[in-house]
Amino acid sequence: MVFVQVERAVKFFPREDGSYMLVLNGVSFETKEQGITCLLGPSGCGKSTLLNVIAGLERVDQGRVEIVSNHNELGTRPPQLGYVFQDPRLLNWKRVEDNLNFALKGMAIPRAEWDDRLNKYLEMVGLLEFRKQYPLYLSGGMRQRVGLARALVIEPDILLMDEPYSKLDQLTARKLREDTLEICARLKHSTLLVTHDVEEAAYMGDRIVIFSARPAQIVEVLDNPFSPLARDLDDVRFIQFKKQLLQTVLNLVQEKEEA
């Protein structure tokens, strides 16, 4: 059991004039223990900031962000986190396999496990035959798949994804979403996906946490009525759910503008 619990999280960023900008304004929610929790909200509202707090790259000024786990009770290792960025952030002078090995080495994974893990996760993302290739010779979608494999190869308990499809063309993004959804359903860990795309949230999210504009507050938390592998973008029922989600977001935007 591993999930993220956020309670009344508050985060400020300093301005050039010495004042402070409120970014997160008392944010509270829990992720699902298994499945994808989507953080949906307008650009610049603080979703990526919160993801960085969960990753330990930032700290909240008030409140609590905790990775809840029974690992310590069981006497096993602490929870591991994998991170997939908007840009793959690969080492272009290293081959695909060496990018994954770099992550394995950084997490002190025994070298005897490296090759089995490389084969498993490169095959999972459809890139096993490209393990000897350099990233610069791969397409944008393939590089993002390498970034996903690098996050998965350490076998994280929680997978963090910060708008990983936002810089891909529509067809490539759609295929990668389908594959990621299948992978996450198979691995059954807790995943957080940041997005400002309503269709992406409806398709990817088992739980959808809707943020207001900055300073961010949680305005609604919805559980997806469709199971991961039953989400058909062309299905009339799914389209209706997507429209309802879009209308919810539009209503929130209008309320914010009128306030």
Side-chain angles (χ1 to χ4, degrees):
M1 175 199 73
V2 183
F3 64 98
V4 177
Q5 188 175 66
V6 181
E7 291 188 357
R8 300 180 297 278
V10 174
K11 178 68 178 177
F12 294 92
F13 279 137
R15 300 178 187 270
E16 292 183 359
D17 62 3
S19 63
Y20 288 86
M21 176 177 64
L22 179 60
V23 179
L24 302 176
N25 187 19
V27 170
S28 298
F29 69 94
E30 288 184 359
T31 67
K32 296 183 75 69
E33 292 179 23
Q34 296 182 3
I36 300 175
T37 299
C38 273
L39 309 184
L40 172 65
S43 296
C45 73
K47 305 182 300 298
S48 295
T49 295
L50 182 56
L51 208 66
N52 287 333
V53 169
I54 294 168
L57 304 175
E58 297 274 2
R59 298 182 63 181
V60 290
D61 296 298
Q62 298 175 29
R64 184 172 67 90
V65 176
E66 181 180 0
I67 298 173
V68 181
S69 168
N70 64 353
H71 281 184
N72 290 336
E73 297 173 12
L74 299 175
T76 57
R77 61 169 174 78
Q80 306 288 347
L81 279 71
Y83 207 132
V84 182
F85 303 92
Q86 288 186 36
D87 293 306
R89 300 189 184 184
L90 302 176
L91 304 175
N92 290 323
W93 60 93
K94 289 182 176 290
R95 300 178 191 272
V96 166
E97 62 183 8
D98 295 324
N99 272 272
L100 272 63
N101 287 337
F102 186 80
L104 291 167
K105 182 178 181 180
M107 297 302 295
I109 305 299
R111 187 174 290 270
E113 298 181 22
W114 287 14
D115 205 50
D116 285 343
R117 292 203 188 194
L118 284 175
N119 288 332
K120 177 181 179 179
Y121 292 104
L122 285 176
E123 183 174 19
M124 194 174 289
V125 301
L127 291 180
L128 184 58
E129 64 182 298
F130 295 94
R131 63 180 293 170
K132 299 290 186 182
Q133 189 60 275
Y134 288 96
L136 288 176
Y137 293 97
L138 302 177
S139 68
M142 294 169 74
R143 289 196 294 270
Q144 196 59 282
R145 287 177 182 272
V146 177
L148 176 59
R150 180 185 56 194
L152 294 175
V153 77
I154 65 170
E155 298 186 346
D157 302 288
I158 295 177
L159 180 64
L160 307 177
M161 306 183 76
D162 188 7
E163 300 192 60
Y165 321 109
S166 61
K167 297 189 177 180
L168 303 176
D169 65 85
Q170 186 176 4
L171 292 178
T172 301
R174 177 166 177 164
K175 176 58 177 171
L176 190 50
R177 289 187 192 104
E178 292 173 356
D179 292 347
T180 303
L181 193 63
E182 183 177 344
I183 288 169
C184 289
R186 188 191 319 174
L187 296 179
K188 297 182 179 179
H189 47 41
S190 183
T191 299
L192 282 93
L193 172 67
V194 165
T195 183
H196 59 264
D197 185 319
V198 172
E199 181 174 285
E200 182 170 278
Y203 183 71
M204 298 294 293
D206 299 296
R207 173 168 295 163
I208 303 166
V209 181
I210 303 176
F211 284 64
S212 70
R214 191 181 67 242
Q217 295 178 306
I218 304 301
V219 291
E220 191 160 357
V221 178
L222 303 172
D223 284 337
N224 199 321
F226 295 90
S227 63
L229 301 183
R231 296 171 197 161
D232 182 352
L233 291 173
D234 300 316
D235 183 271
V236 173
R237 295 170 301 168
F238 182 80
I239 292 172
Q240 184 61 35
F241 169 66
K242 183 180 67 175
K243 287 181 177 179
Q244 291 172 354
L245 181 59
L246 176 59
Q247 192 58 55
T248 298
V249 173
L250 291 175
N251 289 343
L252 292 171
V253 171
Q254 184 176 355
E255 290 173 6
K256 181 73 175 180
E257 291 176 349
E258 293 174 352

